[in-house]
Amino acid sequence: MANNSYSGVKNSVAEPNHEGDFGCSLKELRSLMELRGAEGIHKIQECYGDVNGICSRLKSSPIDGLSGNPADIDKRKLTFGQNFIPPKKPKTFLQLVWEALQDVTLIILEVAAIVSLGLSFYRPPDSSSKNCGEGTGGVEDEGEAEAGWIEGAAILLSVICVVLVTAFNDWSKEKQFRGLQSRIEQEQKFTVVRGGQVIQIPVAEIVVGDIAQIKYGDLLPADGILIQGNDLKIDESSLTGESDHVKKTQEKDPMLLSGTHVMEGSGKMLVTAVGVNSQTGIIFTLLGAGGEDDEDEEKEEKKKEKERKKEKKNKKQDGSAENRKKAKAQDGAAMEMQPLNSDEGADAEEKRKANLPKKEKSVLQGKLTRLAVQIGKAGLVMSAITVIILVVLFIVNTFWVQGLPWEKDCTPIYIQFFVKFFIIGVTVLVVAVPEGLPLAVTISLAYSVKKMMKDNNLVRHLDACETMGNATAICSDKTGTLTMNRMTVVQAYIADKHHRRVPEPEVIPASIMDLLVLGISVNCAYTTKIMPPEKEGGLPRQVGNKTECALLGLVLDLKKDYQAIRNEIPEEKLYKVYTFNSVRKSMSTVLKNADGSFRMFSKGASEILLKKCYKILTATGEAKVFRPRDRDDMVKKVIEPMASEGLRTICLAYRDFPATDGEPDWENESDILTSLTCVCVVGIEDPVRPEVPDAIRKCQRAGITVRMVTGDNINTARAIATKCGILQPGDDFICLEGKEFNRRIRNEKGEIEQERIDKIWPKLRVLARSSPTDKHTLVKGIIDSTVEEQRQVVAVTGDGTNDGPALKKADVGFAMGIAGTDVAKEASDIILTDDNFSSIVKAVMWGRNVYDSISKFLQFQLTVNIVAVIVAFTGACITQDSPLKAVQMLWVNLIMDTFASLALATEPPTESLLLRKPYGRNKPLISRTMMKNILGHGVYQLTIIFTLLFAGEKIFDIDSGRNAPLHAPPSEHYTIVFNTFVMMQLFNEINARKIHGERNVFDGIFNNMIFCSIVFGTFVIQIVIVQFGGKPFSCVGLSIDQWLWCIFLGFGSLLWGQVISSIPTSRLKFLKTAGHGTQKEEIPEEELEDMEDLDEIDHAERELRRGQILWFRGLNRIQTQMDVVSAFQSGTSFQGALRRHPSSASQQHDVTNVSSPTHVAFSTATASNTASATVGYPSGECIPQLPVPL
């Protein structure tokens, strides 16, 4: 990229006067970081001599790092910028108000209200002398004409209320997400060297000149140059789109870029560019995250040209740029809450791409969209019929029955009638369209996410929370999730003797002791150490890889000091390091001796390393030959007994390369890692977490199968699985090793067959010695399986970089907050901040609770909807006027939508949620029990309302409110109808708290203060409306007796609820369920073909594509609410789906760009080159400062 292409980058060029303090300017460093490989090295040599030259110019030391002096750090921030990419500005409250005003039903109401207002001020000159039909008679007599404007004004006022409430909800949700995002950012730390001390600092504090330590699994937070590296391989696909891992060495390619992932090895780098000046920051600024969007539009075009000429760089960003542009135009809210750390759009694409049976959007969202569309259709039909009937009745009555001619002077009065009818029709529509549905989902999810933080679940993608409630299988790691991840050596086989506890130092021959201590000290990552305990008398703190900590602990138990050896042989003096990875299953370090010979120390899984040993050290300290027969003996007598006690066995070995043989070929690993001499085998204990067995029992009772997938040997895995309760004595479940699993699932050609997987997975409980590819295969196999009638919903835990594909493939991916690498966190949906399995059970509880909350709300909402629509419709047809006036309907709509969704969506979960089986994907939202409740309560409410409507005046001995003229004053009769209606809704809200037919609807009601305060608050407001609402609300003050009757009739719905619960649902065969997700079979063939280009089945789009319901585009509020749900979920948001269906070409273009490397990623994922299985998934993750570690 040419330098001038960054003219669009804001606040990056610092004032020149600071630059004199350092030997190189921001501009020089930035142009240096654009070079790759040989070009970069040439430039460094030409301008600076070497990396140390840059260090000295930046006033930094390659060994001690920066001094850490605050003044120096601030000066660097001023000169070279901060490591922070400014997020887009949030929408202002006014913008959100404007968005809420776009709702078509509200616009129709506003227009009708304004027309009604205008007409009410119009006075025809002599209308009093002319008779314009009896419907208009009696208006002026009562002197009420002046008050004609009130209804129009009241409707406008209630529209304003609805808009403000909606906008406030959106605003608070956005605020919540930003809070969540900033929490994610603050908790990300990175290791740097300052003043000779290795410390962890927040990523945003990293400055140019810092010396950062990088290791396997890190996501690089800034650009830099490699100072020292061991076997370092980087995945740069997030920047370049190239899927092969790039080897980084000081000699060939020392350039490290922000936003790329360390896939192997470790090292140190000098930070040269941060924030908006890093490669990722530059791209981000182009995407408009850091600056104004519109100016960037034309520049973007020019840049694209340049970028195409310059290598294949930035393939993905183009795709995400397209997506963002589109999204920017259409759904601000969703985009803004997009966390920067991963390009969620690309993420979502990626997640779905490999999954050939199309993966649905969030299950709940699919069902809700469908239901909302169906209810909306019905509402539209009802309101149209209402308006037509009213108009026809009026015309027939006035011009036919009364036989009046159409008087010119009467026209405004007639128009006023038509406007009134129109308003009634629109009001029916407003009540019928359940715009509270998406609001309930959002509130419920947002509330759950907030509370889940306390239960150690940091939710990155909102819909993961709800999906978790449907989970039927959990594939869990062993180490750290089921176990404590605090490892200690408890047994050892040294010098021909099996010690059941750590031996005393005197027992071990000195020569073996020296080898053992030296080998452990240098052949463990130098970032791993054992620190003194935080509290007096506590356990020492283990920092870094826990298995290595156990070995260092062994050195300390043998009364030796590993730190002294490390000081003597610093990391720079290590000749070559083969770091641990999932293919090698071992780690080796080579030291060069003074005489030119080499010595290599190795450690690794015992059964793998022992096969490479041909000698073993005996009690005398001499090496004797180690034959295959001896090895089998050792496996039987030492390794199996250790493993059956749940210990992990590690073999320590070494090999000498004499100087006479010359330098070996270090790249030929298979020749290097043979002919080893075994020093000892140790057994490492990692105790099971005390709370895990209970958590697993809860899962099994809740119908969730727990499977353990581990890299440990099968005996250790079986022992731990039994301790946890995954395996019970007498079960016929199976445990397999990765090799055997692969043999069973592949056909003769070595291809994986789904039928073969289907034979294994239902019984499989433990998969040991598994590679990350096996984990991915198992997860994919279970998800794609059709053996069970329900499609399985699988949750997976992972901590390693290689777990990425499995975490992405799973329905819900859990990453470990403590032990997890940045890459794993990036691929996950939820981060377990305490790495504890029992937190997953909490997530299941919250997920089920979300589902239930939505169902409770639906049960309540649909009852109100049905009753209100029927009352308005029949009332209008019979009395030519809706018994519930427009403003009253809007108030009911507000209670039942906004307030009820708040009240019912914030119910806390209870343990009883774990006593039932998962709902599964095809379970309808509205079960038959709920349908029974909805219809039952509907019947009760309609009976009461119609009795009051047609006989109320007789019962209460008051004037009838039916057939009132146009501007007649409000009547007691209709006020009682309205008041009783609202009271019934309030009591029915309490009924709606239970949806499985429980009798005690008050159970735990005081645990939810929000619910109590909302019900109470609504009641108080209702009193105010009735007593003091007057003309705008068409209400008259009621007497105490009348109030008591209204409350009594409302209370009746609680008693009626008990009657309904007594009727067994099984008897009511005629009841249908509703709110199913779309089944794949229901989608016509040709539509499926159309959807080939799309990466997921979007139900809203399907419903819309048929073109039957164009009007639905206007139900904007549904979309706005849903945007927020989608914000954490995908770039192509729900709102986008509802508003547009771009041409297939453009969609294909997005898809291909966004997920280019994906095909490579999963097709080449075989055990031999597991590395490439991790390729394509970090899709657009180009942002340095927000991977989500905790």
Side-chain angles (χ1 to χ4, degrees), residues 775-961:
K775 192 174 190 177
H776 178 259
T777 308
L778 175 67
V779 172
K780 185 174 186 316
I782 297 178
I783 289 178
D784 294 349
S785 169
T786 48
V787 185
E788 315 267 316
E789 65 229 48
Q790 295 278 11
R791 150 149 140 55
Q792 296 283 304
V793 177
V794 183
V796 170
T797 69
D799 52 8
T801 302
N802 300 330
D803 290 329
L807 287 171
K808 272 215 154 5
K809 177 70 200 166
D811 293 289
V812 181
F814 284 92
M816 301 296 137
I818 303 168
T821 59
D822 295 352
V823 181
K825 291 174 184 170
E826 205 66 353
S828 69
D829 300 298
I830 297 179
I831 294 172
L832 295 177
T833 52
D834 62 346
D835 287 15
N836 192 336
F837 185 83
S838 57
S839 302
I840 298 178
V841 182
K842 295 263 178 45
V844 171
M845 224 155 85
W846 278 106
R848 293 188 173 188
N849 191 51
V850 167
Y851 213 90
D852 278 8
S853 298
I854 305 305
S855 295
K856 289 172 189 174
F857 175 68
L858 265 177
Q859 179 174 307
F860 173 69
Q861 165 115 41
L862 292 183
T863 313
V864 189
N865 272 12
I866 291 171
V867 174
V869 171
I870 293 178
V871 166
F873 176 70
T874 43
C877 299
I878 298 170
T879 67
Q880 295 181 32
D881 184 10
S882 167
L884 298 172
K885 301 290 181 282
V887 181
Q888 295 173 351
M889 291 264 222
L890 285 170
W891 162 237
V892 169
N893 203 35
L894 196 72
I895 317 179
M896 74 190 194
D897 279 358
T898 314
F899 297 156
S901 58
L902 244 180
L904 291 168
T906 51
E907 288 272 312
T910 56
E911 286 281 331
S912 62
L913 287 167
L914 293 175
L915 297 177
R916 59 172 175 74
K917 298 279 178 274
Y919 277 148
R921 294 200 150 236
N922 307 336
K923 160 106 175 41
L925 272 178
I926 301 173
S927 63
R928 288 176 56 187
T929 310
M930 286 167 62
M931 197 55 103
K932 173 182 81 177
N933 291 343
I934 291 171
L935 296 178
H937 285 296
V939 167
Y940 172 78
Q941 295 188 9
L942 285 173
T943 313
I944 299 286
I945 294 284
F946 284 137
T947 310
L948 288 177
L949 189 57
F950 296 112
E953 69 273 23
K954 298 190 186 67
I955 301 171
F956 288 107
D957 191 21
I958 46 178
D959 295 335
S960 165

Side-chain angles (χ1 to χ4, degrees), residues 71-262:
D72 175 48
I73 304 284
D74 290 343
K75 190 196 281 179
R76 287 171 191 274
K77 284 186 182 170
L78 209 56
T79 309
F80 299 110
Q82 290 183 307
N83 196 21
F84 170 69
I85 294 177
K88 274 177 73 173
K89 291 189 191 71
K91 288 205 169 161
T92 60
F93 187 69
L94 285 176
Q95 280 170 308
L96 292 169
V97 166
W98 178 245
E99 268 174 22
L101 276 169
Q102 309 299 308
D103 184 340
V104 164
T105 39
L106 285 183
I107 292 174
I108 297 174
L109 264 184
E110 287 156 24
V111 171
I114 290 165
V115 172
S116 156
L117 256 180
L119 287 172
S120 66
F121 289 125
Y122 176 79
R123 284 280 154 271
D126 54 352
S127 61
S128 47
S129 60
K130 290 213 172 68
N131 181 8
C132 300
E134 62 191 34
T136 60
V139 177
E140 278 72 20
D141 315 349
E142 316 220 0
E144 282 287 341
E146 285 69 44
W149 60 273
I150 290 181
E151 185 172 20
I155 290 177
L156 282 179
L157 200 71
S158 36
V159 166
I160 291 169
C161 277
V162 172
V163 166
L164 288 177
V165 169
T166 312
F168 178 74
N169 275 321
D170 289 348
W171 178 78
S172 56
K173 281 181 306 228
E174 192 161 321
K175 197 165 145 227
Q176 244 174 353
F177 287 125
R178 289 197 175 257
L180 176 69
Q181 198 49 45
S182 62
R183 166 167 173 172
I184 289 173
E185 286 163 37
Q186 285 156 8
E187 295 196 337
Q188 195 209 338
K189 300 264 200 293
F190 209 78
T191 312
V192 297
V193 181
R194 282 194 183 167
Q197 295 293 313
V198 176
I199 56 168
Q200 287 217 321
I201 59 171
V203 163
E205 291 299 312
I206 293 176
V207 291
V208 171
D210 259 324
I211 305 295
Q213 289 196 345
I214 54 176
K215 60 181 189 308
Y216 155 88
D218 281 345
L219 183 141
L220 299 183
D223 291 354
I225 299 171
L226 188 66
I227 299 178
Q228 176 263 319
N230 306 321
D231 199 16
L232 193 63
K233 288 190 184 150
I234 305 276
D235 173 8
E236 293 190 347
S237 59
S238 57
L239 279 180
T240 61
E242 299 299 329
S243 52
D244 298 335
H245 296 172
V246 185
K247 203 164 179 169
K248 297 285 180 182
T249 56
Q250 288 105 299
E251 299 75 44
K252 293 209 175 88
D253 183 4
M255 302 303 198
L256 300 170
L257 305 176
S258 57
T260 57
H261 292 111
V262 183

